[in-house]
Amino acid sequence: MPGLRNRDTWAPLLLKSSRITSCANGCSLGITAHLTYINTDPKPVEGVFVYPLGEREVVVGFEAVISGRLLSVKVQSRGNLEDCCPNCCPMPGIHGKQWSCCGGTGQGIQCSNGHLLLDEDLERTNFITGTGIIAPMEVVSIVISTTLELSTLENGAIHLIYPTVLTPIVRARLQPAKGENGCRSNETSATTCFGGVSGKQEKMLEMNEHCVHSVFSSPATNLAPYELNFQLLVRGACLLAGLESPTHALRADADPNAQSASATYITLAEEHLYDRHLEIILHLSEPHSPLVILERGRLTFSQYEQQVSARRDFIRYVHKEAEPGKKLEFVRKRYHKDVLNNPVLMLNFCPDLLSEPVELQQANRELLFLINCSGNMTQHSISKIKEGMLVAIKSLPSSAMVNIAGFGSVVKPLFTSSKPCTDIIMAQVLDYVQKLHADLGGSNLLGALSWVYHQPAHRSCPRQLFILTDGSLINVGQVLELVRRNTCNARCFGLGLGSRACRRLLHGVAKLTGGRAEFLCDDERLQPKLIKCLKKALEPALTDVRIDWYVPDNVEALLSPNEIPPLYPGNRLIGYCTLYDVSAFKVKKNDMRNQANRPLPYGSFGSVFELSSGSSELLQPLVPMAERERRGELGHEENTEYMLRENSQEISSTDDNAASDARWRMEQTSYVQEQYTLTRCSLGSERGVFPSYSPPAECLSLGMDAASLPHSLERVQPQHSHSLTRWDTSWKENITSSMEEESEKAGWLLDGEGCVLRQKDLARAALAGRSFSSPQGELDMHRLRRALERVSFEQAMGGRLEESDTETHNIPQGALSLTDSNGILFPASPLDWDGFTDPESLFAASPVAQVPCQLVIHGLLGSKPMSWEVSMDLCVLWSSEEAPQDIWDAVVHHLAARSVIRDFENMAEKETDIEHGSSKRYRMKAIQTSKSCGIISMYTSFSTTDASTRKMFSESTDIRHMGVPFGSRHTTGTRRQRAYSVGRRPSIRDSEDIDNTHNSTDRENTPASPHSLASLGNNVGPGSPSAASSCSQRSVESRTMESFFSFGFNLGRLRPSHSSGRQTPLKPQCLSAVSETQTNSQSPDYLPLLRLQLASGAFLLSESFSECIHIPLDRLKRASPYLIHRSSLSPPYHYISSPSTGPIASYRPDDQRTTRPPHASSGLRFANDSLTVLPETFSSEEGSIELVGGVPHSDSGRGSETDMCEEVEPQGEQLAHLDVESSSWATSVALAWLEHHCAGFFVEWELVAAKADFWLKCQSLPEGVDLPGLRAAARQLFLLLRHWDENLQLNMLCYNPNYM
Amino acid sequence: MASATDNRYGQKESADQNFDYMFKILIIGNSSVGKTSFLFRYADDSFTPAFVSTVGIDFKVKTIYRNDKRIKLQIWDTAGQERYRTITTAYYRGAMGFILMYDITNEESFAAVQDWSTQIKTYSWDNAQVLLVGNKCDMDDERVVASERGRQLSEHLGFEFFEASAKDNINVKQTFERLVDIICEKMSESLDAGDPAVTGAKQGPQLTEQPAAPHQDCAC
């Protein structure tokens, strides 16, 4: 489908040549492709160009030349399109049906009037434009430029996949090649040479083609070979370690004039064979370090200032408002429009999450299962789900949270919010699963998802959403769009049962959120793929990610994105920071000098937005609209800004001249941390997480604490004088007064916000104190600053860890550091101060040219806080030197603009249901950004213009949003046409704003500019710019980290080994169970055993246990390594004793504070029944559960001891309960049994076994038995049993399916 | 086999960038045989005994005069560690010369020469010239690879052979100059033979635009 097509027949036009030039800079990629098509049809055809866009790809330029006509596209508001053709879509419902994913026909793509109909998702993911009539044998030249964010692999390598349109596959040529290289055809043709699997694959492909959308997603093909010219320029903040391509042989060269390999040109080394598309993998020399790329704006800071100052509305605005601060406000309101004019920093970071073993069982996850229970679900699917969910629920680590919901036309969740995985909860979930029925009407996944997204997020507990369905939907586009807007909220896994499951939907949600989609054949078991997804859901994640940017004085920043999702292995974090030099717009009066030099800490859009997004969804309504609007509008101001500004003013006015001068200079030379304006972007972490962390003094807590925000302004105002006093006094070495002020302040700041602020002040005071002492005469400003930051940072981290979440605990910590710094470190400072007040040394030490900028990334890996930092020098931005221009100079800007637009879109859409006004405002901002940057948004669209006639190109293909009527339009296109011609990558875009008078298209392929790299260098030694950004990475480990379990469950041990895996006569299919061949409706026999597993992973040595594994209890006891078991047996023990025998001892939960009842005590029959009974009882008090368990734990005279256990309970972690012999023996037997009897199902019980093994490892085994010994004993049991078996009546032991 | 560049890179005309030919040369060999030191000795005349494993692929530029021609050498230093071996092969392509290096005090590095030679044959073009260099010849008391073995191997592989020391600056310059010479020889042979790969547009405008340098001898 992609490529230039005949609009009527959708037949592709012949591609003659494809010339691809591209530039990868870090994780950004710009592609400009010149495609030449020819109409081989004897008749004129109407052409339509379809270009499927990647998820993070934007079109930044398109031009087509057809018989002298030059077509180009332009972003315009969507409003203009939403008219006309009223009878085209009389009933939206019909179109809904047309677009129902699997089952529609290809005709559904056009309505009766011949307009293209796209749903929300297709519209976003495709660039479609009509080219008008193409005469026979006419050549069409198309130039399309796109920009995209690249993804990374787990090893940090950058993966480039070129759009298939650019390198279509030539099938005709493939056929002869098939003979010589058969396996190649696997990927390209439906028929495979491997007979075994082909049937299944074909079926799937066939199914896939039923989807209408597949016409867009299917790879491009061409009828004949074409000319391919490919070039990739690789730049970046670090050198390449190498590169490879899974598809092509590559060649790497450098520009002959280059002095280093900072830019590498990559071309194809061998002829393109037309049998595959193009992929390249770039290996960086520092794959897991955060790297920052600086890309200059179109204008320098001074040019930008001039441009803004010359604007008429600016002059009017300034005239009208005499207040000096208004200038700044005006500029701030323009930030989002001026992204392209100002420099942008792009952060790329692919953390290495797999280097350290993270115990699966410690994974904090919220697992949400959404099960389609609509009437469409077949009973077959439901029963499969019941079985699969049992294994999945039993596989959940005990640290996870779980919830389950069936959805149809309504959502029926089990719990109102997710619950921790205790025995009770698990039993309830299992009960819920067993009661599932396909009785909930039509399937409204959209509603179910919005329910999910309105669930409060749990901190450090990334949500993993499993969608189990077997049908299709009518509103796939809407669902995908909803998921797209909430990618930070949940990672989605799709499990499609049966052939009707909608591939587009499940693949779509999984791809958007980084999950996985799996599809089952009708007769395939669910468990293997479900567990596979579950394993992925539990992989290590970096959560609570936050980026702190420290930018120089007078520079403000627009940060994007405003939500950062958790990072899983292979994910990369991309952040944008657009810099605005506001010094010119600030007040420049002499007595206000300090104000200009004072840092202004401000939140970015990021921190502003986050409040109402993501995790704090529930808190949102608590924030008054007025407040949010104000913040939204100013975008950059946070409460303490006022405080500090005020602060500095006061300082300058109260101080005598000499003192303030010295101070001023110090501040100017970036001496203390306060020099750095702190902007931050953080994912909505809940209150109490980060507040105690206060890196540089002004790290604000906004965003931490949504609920208290509305009050913050009022609360902060009165503090000004106090913090001022503190500054003054600390400088005058009058510490006590400062301390008094602090305590006084604390007195009237009662809420959490106040505490937080106070901590900030304390931390800042501490920092100021430290800053004087740590350099010890050393005047290297930069190093000093770095050292300071480290100190303060570590201090803060330490505090945060030790004091966990309680804010009250943090106060002593802060106070301590204050005392510490003032009392001990401060005395050293006067010496240093003398040095600093000396102008020569001051300036000699720190050349003015250095403009440091820093960023710190924080996150939690498991429960371990991590941080990384990068430093760079921005001095190049202020140098008058002209930056070399090339065609790739706006790639990062385009991506930044896209990211900003997405932020606005998400905000606008989120606000819709709450208040219309702010939604409109965000929408407006999205449109403004979109138009000024030429990047499409959901509120704008491309319109084609005929540049040669300066008219809107109107008779082309109309593309319509589904259900929106439309028709031909003849809007007068009076806009300025772009000056570039075909062949140029547009470096500026025509914009609605009249302020874009710039035309800097530069065709020349200048070599990579060394500046872009040098600018990032921030060498410690002054004046020696290095080519790579100096970056230091360190992970801060907590001193107080409690023992971090690093046990890895050795899966290899459990792999089916033929020596031990003797096939038992009882279950012949056990070992040979290749899951797909297993016709269902008969449970594999490990399920009953699984039911008995406790949430912690342990098993109990009970009658039901022995029944499940078909080993009599007395034999289990006889084979036990524990003396206590063997001695408890009287020689003539009858294993068929009454069920009331029960467990020999009740199990006491180990590491859960919540007590779990020893419920898994009755026989197998009971175990089944209990599932229907237990929830009611479990929800009640424990006492009643004891009754339900109903099993006297008095067998073998241990009852009293068990009671004692209950008393010992507070020391749960010590696992001192007396039952450990039984449960550890049972658990190891269960493991051995699974290994021995069900090796074929390893992939299914893998996680369950891992959990059990983990539990075993955490036990301290009595009687001197060690874990290897226990395991060996368990294995030996099966050897012993062989001989025992001979003497036994088999049927007594047999598992009876009727019991199920 | 002259400068394998064409217009796609664009040209920046400035005095120090004038050259008649540009040769892309790669230094390869096992990890820690001294590739980076060798390059630094040649390009910067510096040596540091500290070992820093190379990860990022970079090159140094050195312009020499040879046979009346200004020849710019773009000498690429590669990572020797095994895990980088497959991902650096793209750099082999288009290289006119290789310096295959081993460490005379390290038997393993010598044993790997054969593999490296295969690597060159697989990924570079046929005309590429290879020089075998046994580095660290200053450490004679720790020598484990006799000079003669190196020579025999080089004859077997059809390479020329040098023993050199980046530390004591023995044979470093000679190695590169010899490599340039044999590349030049090969190039003129190919030119005579009318090898289409060498003649034609590939030579780039530098070849004709720059006046020949007056120097006869190597002036660097």
Side-chain angles (χ1 to χ4, degrees), chain A residues 240-243 249-258 260-261 265 267 269 283 285 1005, chain B residues 4-5 8-9 12 17 19 22 24 55-59 61 72 74 76 87-88 90-91 93:
Chain A
L240 287 179
L243 50 107
L250 300 178
R251 167 177 169 173
D253 289 290
D255 185 317
N257 293 317
S260 80
Y265 288 89
T267 48
H283 296 268
S285 54
N1005 275 332
Chain B
T5 64
R8 67 193 165 190
Y9 304 142
K12 249 195 197 166
Q17 279 162 335
F19 51 86
M22 196 201 72
K24 179 180 176 183
V55 176
I57 297 191
D58 205 354
F59 62 82
V61 172
K72 182 171 181 172
Q74 195 182 68
W76 293 74
I87 59 171
T88 50
Y91 293 85
R93 300 193 171 97

Short mmCIF file of all heavy atoms in Angstrom, two decimals, chain A residues 240-243 249-258 260-261 265 267 269 283 285 1005, chain B residues 4-5 8-9 12 17 19 22 24 55-59 61 72 74 76 87-88 90-91 93:
data_model
loop_
_atom_site.label_atom_id
_atom_site.label_comp_id
_atom_site.label_asym_id
_atom_site.label_seq_id
_atom_site.Cartn_x
_atom_site.Cartn_y
_atom_site.Cartn_z
N LEU A 240 31.24 6.23 17.54
CA LEU A 240 30.65 4.91 17.32
C LEU A 240 31.65 3.84 17.73
O LEU A 240 32.85 3.99 17.52
CB LEU A 240 30.32 4.73 15.84
CG LEU A 240 29.12 5.49 15.29
CD1 LEU A 240 28.97 5.18 13.81
CD2 LEU A 240 27.87 5.09 16.04
N ALA A 241 31.14 2.79 18.30
CA ALA A 241 32.01 1.63 18.52
C ALA A 241 31.95 0.72 17.30
O ALA A 241 32.79 -0.15 17.15
CB ALA A 241 31.55 0.87 19.75
N GLY A 242 30.98 0.95 16.49
CA GLY A 242 30.85 0.14 15.28
C GLY A 242 29.41 0.20 14.81
O GLY A 242 28.57 0.86 15.41
N LEU A 243 29.18 -0.49 13.74
CA LEU A 243 27.83 -0.51 13.21
C LEU A 243 27.64 -1.81 12.45
O LEU A 243 28.60 -2.46 12.03
CB LEU A 243 27.59 0.69 12.29
CG LEU A 243 28.63 0.92 11.21
CD1 LEU A 243 28.09 0.55 9.86
CD2 LEU A 243 29.04 2.37 11.23
N ALA A 249 25.20 -5.12 3.60
CA ALA A 249 26.61 -4.87 3.89
C ALA A 249 26.83 -3.36 3.82
O ALA A 249 26.38 -2.71 2.89
CB ALA A 249 27.49 -5.57 2.88
N LEU A 250 27.50 -2.85 4.83
CA LEU A 250 27.66 -1.41 4.91
C LEU A 250 29.11 -1.01 4.75
O LEU A 250 30.03 -1.81 4.92
CB LEU A 250 27.15 -0.89 6.26
CG LEU A 250 25.69 -1.16 6.58
CD1 LEU A 250 25.38 -0.64 7.97
CD2 LEU A 250 24.80 -0.49 5.56
N ARG A 251 29.28 0.23 4.45
CA ARG A 251 30.62 0.78 4.37
C ARG A 251 30.62 2.09 5.14
O ARG A 251 29.70 2.89 5.01
CB ARG A 251 30.97 1.03 2.91
CG ARG A 251 32.19 1.86 2.72
CD ARG A 251 32.54 2.01 1.28
NE ARG A 251 33.56 3.03 1.15
CZ ARG A 251 34.18 3.32 0.02
NH1 ARG A 251 33.88 2.65 -1.07
NH2 ARG A 251 35.09 4.25 -0.01
N ALA A 252 31.63 2.28 5.94
CA ALA A 252 31.72 3.49 6.74
C ALA A 252 32.94 4.29 6.33
O ALA A 252 34.03 3.74 6.17
CB ALA A 252 31.81 3.13 8.22
N ASP A 253 32.75 5.56 6.11
CA ASP A 253 33.85 6.45 5.73
C ASP A 253 33.70 7.75 6.49
O ASP A 253 32.67 8.01 7.11
CB ASP A 253 33.78 6.77 4.24
CG ASP A 253 34.14 5.60 3.37
OD1 ASP A 253 35.32 5.23 3.37
OD2 ASP A 253 33.22 5.03 2.73
N ALA A 254 34.72 8.54 6.36
CA ALA A 254 34.63 9.88 6.93
C ALA A 254 34.84 10.88 5.80
O ALA A 254 35.38 10.54 4.74
CB ALA A 254 35.68 10.09 8.01
N ASP A 255 34.43 12.05 6.04
CA ASP A 255 34.70 13.12 5.10
C ASP A 255 36.22 13.24 4.95
O ASP A 255 36.94 13.21 5.95
CB ASP A 255 34.12 14.41 5.69
CG ASP A 255 34.23 15.58 4.76
OD1 ASP A 255 35.29 15.76 4.13
OD2 ASP A 255 33.26 16.33 4.69
N PRO A 256 36.71 13.38 3.74
CA PRO A 256 38.16 13.47 3.57
C PRO A 256 38.75 14.67 4.31
O PRO A 256 39.94 14.67 4.63
CB PRO A 256 38.35 13.62 2.07
CG PRO A 256 37.03 13.52 1.43
CD PRO A 256 35.98 13.36 2.47
N ASN A 257 37.95 15.66 4.57
CA ASN A 257 38.48 16.83 5.26
C ASN A 257 38.26 16.79 6.75
O ASN A 257 38.64 17.72 7.45
CB ASN A 257 37.82 18.09 4.69
CG ASN A 257 38.24 18.31 3.25
OD1 ASN A 257 39.40 18.15 2.92
ND2 ASN A 257 37.28 18.61 2.41
N ALA A 258 37.63 15.75 7.23
CA ALA A 258 37.35 15.70 8.65
C ALA A 258 38.63 15.44 9.43
O ALA A 258 39.58 14.84 8.91
CB ALA A 258 36.33 14.62 8.94
N SER A 260 38.35 14.18 12.65
CA SER A 260 38.07 13.07 13.56
C SER A 260 36.79 12.40 13.10
O SER A 260 36.10 12.90 12.22
CB SER A 260 37.91 13.57 15.00
OG SER A 260 36.62 14.10 15.17
N ALA A 261 36.50 11.28 13.71
CA ALA A 261 35.37 10.48 13.25
C ALA A 261 34.07 10.91 13.91
O ALA A 261 33.19 10.10 14.13
CB ALA A 261 35.65 9.01 13.52
N TYR A 265 30.09 8.73 7.44
CA TYR A 265 29.16 8.51 6.34
C TYR A 265 29.02 7.03 6.09
O TYR A 265 30.02 6.32 5.94
CB TYR A 265 29.65 9.20 5.07
CG TYR A 265 29.53 10.69 5.12
CD1 TYR A 265 30.55 11.48 5.63
CD2 TYR A 265 28.37 11.31 4.67
CE1 TYR A 265 30.42 12.85 5.71
CE2 TYR A 265 28.24 12.68 4.73
CZ TYR A 265 29.27 13.45 5.25
OH TYR A 265 29.13 14.81 5.32
N THR A 267 27.34 4.09 3.72
CA THR A 267 26.72 3.79 2.43
C THR A 267 26.58 2.29 2.31
O THR A 267 27.12 1.53 3.12
CB THR A 267 27.58 4.33 1.27
OG1 THR A 267 28.93 3.91 1.49
CG2 THR A 267 27.53 5.84 1.20
N ALA A 269 27.54 -1.15 0.85
CA ALA A 269 28.77 -1.66 0.26
C ALA A 269 28.48 -2.56 -0.93
O ALA A 269 29.32 -2.70 -1.80
CB ALA A 269 29.56 -2.42 1.31
N HIS A 283 26.26 1.08 17.04
CA HIS A 283 26.76 0.80 18.38
C HIS A 283 27.55 2.00 18.87
O HIS A 283 28.53 2.39 18.24
CB HIS A 283 27.65 -0.44 18.38
CG HIS A 283 26.91 -1.68 18.00
ND1 HIS A 283 26.34 -2.50 18.93
CD2 HIS A 283 26.62 -2.22 16.79
CE1 HIS A 283 25.74 -3.52 18.32
NE2 HIS A 283 25.90 -3.37 17.02
N SER A 285 29.93 4.13 21.52
CA SER A 285 31.01 3.76 22.43
C SER A 285 30.58 3.91 23.88
O SER A 285 31.15 3.29 24.76
CB SER A 285 32.25 4.60 22.15
OG SER A 285 31.93 5.97 22.19
N ASN A 1005 26.03 20.40 1.10
CA ASN A 1005 26.26 19.30 2.02
C ASN A 1005 27.55 19.53 2.77
O ASN A 1005 28.55 18.88 2.55
CB ASN A 1005 26.38 17.99 1.24
CG ASN A 1005 25.03 17.41 0.98
OD1 ASN A 1005 24.11 17.64 1.74
ND2 ASN A 1005 24.93 16.68 -0.10
N ALA B 4 38.90 7.63 -2.42
CA ALA B 4 37.62 7.03 -2.75
C ALA B 4 36.48 7.92 -2.28
O ALA B 4 35.63 7.53 -1.52
CB ALA B 4 37.51 5.67 -2.11
N THR B 5 36.56 9.11 -2.71
CA THR B 5 35.53 10.03 -2.28
C THR B 5 34.84 10.56 -3.51
O THR B 5 35.34 10.48 -4.61
CB THR B 5 36.15 11.21 -1.53
OG1 THR B 5 36.97 11.91 -2.44
CG2 THR B 5 36.93 10.75 -0.35
N ARG B 8 29.73 13.70 -2.77
CA ARG B 8 28.66 13.68 -1.78
C ARG B 8 29.08 14.30 -0.46
O ARG B 8 28.25 14.71 0.32
CB ARG B 8 28.21 12.26 -1.55
CG ARG B 8 29.26 11.43 -0.89
CD ARG B 8 28.99 9.98 -0.93
NE ARG B 8 30.22 9.30 -0.60
CZ ARG B 8 30.39 8.02 -0.71
NH1 ARG B 8 29.43 7.28 -1.19
NH2 ARG B 8 31.52 7.45 -0.39
N TYR B 9 30.36 14.29 -0.21
CA TYR B 9 30.77 14.86 1.07
C TYR B 9 30.92 16.36 1.01
O TYR B 9 31.06 17.01 2.01
CB TYR B 9 32.11 14.27 1.54
CG TYR B 9 32.08 12.78 1.63
CD1 TYR B 9 33.17 12.03 1.25
CD2 TYR B 9 30.94 12.12 2.09
CE1 TYR B 9 33.13 10.66 1.35
CE2 TYR B 9 30.90 10.76 2.18
CZ TYR B 9 32.00 10.03 1.80
OH TYR B 9 31.97 8.67 1.89
N LYS B 12 35.40 21.52 1.26
CA LYS B 12 35.70 22.79 1.89
C LYS B 12 37.10 23.13 1.45
O LYS B 12 38.05 22.44 1.78
CB LYS B 12 35.68 22.63 3.41
CG LYS B 12 34.53 23.34 4.08
CD LYS B 12 34.84 23.39 5.54
CE LYS B 12 33.62 23.70 6.35
NZ LYS B 12 33.88 23.43 7.75
N GLN B 17 43.77 21.84 3.72
CA GLN B 17 43.05 20.65 3.32
C GLN B 17 43.40 20.24 1.89
O GLN B 17 42.74 19.37 1.33
CB GLN B 17 41.56 20.89 3.47
CG GLN B 17 41.15 20.70 4.92
CD GLN B 17 39.81 21.32 5.22
OE1 GLN B 17 39.41 22.25 4.54
NE2 GLN B 17 39.16 20.82 6.22
N PHE B 19 45.17 18.33 -0.84
CA PHE B 19 45.94 17.09 -0.95
C PHE B 19 45.64 16.49 -2.31
O PHE B 19 44.65 16.82 -2.95
CB PHE B 19 45.58 16.11 0.17
CG PHE B 19 44.10 15.87 0.32
CD1 PHE B 19 43.47 14.90 -0.44
CD2 PHE B 19 43.35 16.60 1.23
CE1 PHE B 19 42.12 14.68 -0.30
CE2 PHE B 19 42.00 16.37 1.36
CZ PHE B 19 41.38 15.41 0.60
N MET B 22 43.96 10.82 -0.98
CA MET B 22 43.69 10.49 0.41
C MET B 22 43.58 8.99 0.53
O MET B 22 42.88 8.34 -0.23
CB MET B 22 42.40 11.12 0.89
CG MET B 22 42.33 11.09 2.40
SD MET B 22 40.68 11.25 3.04
CE MET B 22 40.01 9.69 2.62
N LYS B 24 42.71 5.83 2.97
CA LYS B 24 42.10 5.37 4.22
C LYS B 24 42.86 4.15 4.69
O LYS B 24 43.02 3.18 3.94
CB LYS B 24 40.63 5.01 3.96
CG LYS B 24 39.85 4.49 5.15
CD LYS B 24 38.41 4.19 4.73
CE LYS B 24 37.61 3.56 5.86
NZ LYS B 24 36.24 3.22 5.42
N VAL B 55 37.33 1.97 22.44
CA VAL B 55 35.97 1.53 22.14
C VAL B 55 35.45 2.25 20.91
O VAL B 55 35.07 1.65 19.92
CB VAL B 55 35.03 1.74 23.34
CG1 VAL B 55 33.62 1.35 22.96
CG2 VAL B 55 35.47 0.91 24.52
N GLY B 56 35.48 3.55 20.99
CA GLY B 56 34.98 4.33 19.87
C GLY B 56 35.99 4.35 18.73
O GLY B 56 37.20 4.47 18.95
N ILE B 57 35.47 4.23 17.54
CA ILE B 57 36.35 4.22 16.37
C ILE B 57 36.65 5.64 15.96
O ILE B 57 35.72 6.42 15.72
CB ILE B 57 35.69 3.46 15.23
CG1 ILE B 57 35.50 2.01 15.66
CG2 ILE B 57 36.52 3.55 13.97
CD1 ILE B 57 35.10 1.13 14.54
N ASP B 58 37.89 5.97 15.93
CA ASP B 58 38.27 7.33 15.54
C ASP B 58 39.45 7.24 14.58
O ASP B 58 40.05 6.18 14.42
CB ASP B 58 38.65 8.14 16.78
CG ASP B 58 38.47 9.64 16.53
OD1 ASP B 58 38.17 10.03 15.38
OD2 ASP B 58 38.64 10.40 17.49
N PHE B 59 39.76 8.35 13.96
CA PHE B 59 40.94 8.32 13.10
C PHE B 59 41.77 9.56 13.33
O PHE B 59 41.33 10.52 13.96
CB PHE B 59 40.54 8.21 11.62
CG PHE B 59 39.73 9.37 11.11
CD1 PHE B 59 40.35 10.56 10.70
CD2 PHE B 59 38.36 9.28 11.01
CE1 PHE B 59 39.60 11.61 10.23
CE2 PHE B 59 37.61 10.33 10.53
CZ PHE B 59 38.22 11.50 10.14
N VAL B 61 44.57 12.19 11.22
CA VAL B 61 44.92 12.59 9.87
C VAL B 61 46.38 13.01 9.84
O VAL B 61 46.85 13.68 10.75
CB VAL B 61 44.02 13.75 9.41
CG1 VAL B 61 44.49 14.30 8.10
CG2 VAL B 61 42.59 13.28 9.31
N LYS B 72 47.23 12.48 1.89
CA LYS B 72 46.61 12.61 3.21
C LYS B 72 46.25 11.22 3.69
O LYS B 72 45.57 10.47 2.99
CB LYS B 72 45.37 13.46 3.08
CG LYS B 72 44.65 13.71 4.38
CD LYS B 72 43.57 14.75 4.15
CE LYS B 72 42.81 15.07 5.41
NZ LYS B 72 41.92 16.21 5.18
N GLN B 74 44.29 9.03 6.29
CA GLN B 74 43.23 9.01 7.30
C GLN B 74 43.37 7.66 7.98
O GLN B 74 42.97 6.64 7.43
CB GLN B 74 41.89 9.14 6.59
CG GLN B 74 40.73 9.49 7.47
CD GLN B 74 39.44 9.54 6.67
OE1 GLN B 74 38.96 8.51 6.20
NE2 GLN B 74 38.87 10.72 6.51
N TRP B 76 42.62 5.03 10.67
CA TRP B 76 41.55 4.64 11.60
C TRP B 76 42.09 3.67 12.63
O TRP B 76 42.79 2.71 12.29
CB TRP B 76 40.40 3.98 10.85
CG TRP B 76 39.66 4.89 9.93
CD1 TRP B 76 40.08 5.35 8.73
CD2 TRP B 76 38.37 5.45 10.14
NE1 TRP B 76 39.14 6.17 8.18
CE2 TRP B 76 38.07 6.24 9.02
CE3 TRP B 76 37.43 5.37 11.17
CZ2 TRP B 76 36.87 6.95 8.91
CZ3 TRP B 76 36.24 6.05 11.04
CH2 TRP B 76 35.96 6.85 9.92
N ILE B 87 31.27 -5.63 14.41
CA ILE B 87 30.63 -4.35 14.15
C ILE B 87 31.60 -3.30 13.61
O ILE B 87 31.22 -2.17 13.38
CB ILE B 87 29.92 -3.81 15.41
CG1 ILE B 87 30.89 -3.64 16.57
CG2 ILE B 87 28.78 -4.72 15.82
CD1 ILE B 87 30.28 -2.92 17.75
N THR B 88 32.85 -3.69 13.42
CA THR B 88 33.78 -2.71 12.85
C THR B 88 34.10 -3.02 11.39
O THR B 88 34.87 -2.31 10.77
CB THR B 88 35.10 -2.68 13.65
OG1 THR B 88 35.57 -4.01 13.80
CG2 THR B 88 34.91 -2.06 15.00
N ALA B 90 32.44 -2.64 8.76
CA ALA B 90 32.01 -1.64 7.78
C ALA B 90 33.14 -0.65 7.49
O ALA B 90 33.19 -0.06 6.41
CB ALA B 90 30.78 -0.90 8.29
N TYR B 91 34.03 -0.51 8.46
CA TYR B 91 35.12 0.44 8.26
C TYR B 91 36.21 -0.12 7.34
O TYR B 91 37.02 0.61 6.81
CB TYR B 91 35.73 0.82 9.62
CG TYR B 91 34.76 1.61 10.47
CD1 TYR B 91 33.83 0.97 11.28
CD2 TYR B 91 34.76 3.00 10.45
CE1 TYR B 91 32.94 1.69 12.05
CE2 TYR B 91 33.87 3.72 11.21
CZ TYR B 91 32.96 3.06 12.01
OH TYR B 91 32.08 3.79 12.76
N ARG B 93 35.78 -1.51 4.56
CA ARG B 93 35.44 -1.28 3.16
C ARG B 93 35.92 0.10 2.75
O ARG B 93 35.71 1.08 3.46
CB ARG B 93 33.93 -1.41 2.96
CG ARG B 93 33.44 -2.80 3.36
CD ARG B 93 32.05 -3.06 2.87
NE ARG B 93 31.70 -4.47 3.07
CZ ARG B 93 31.02 -4.91 4.12
NH1 ARG B 93 30.60 -4.08 5.04
NH2 ARG B 93 30.76 -6.20 4.23
#
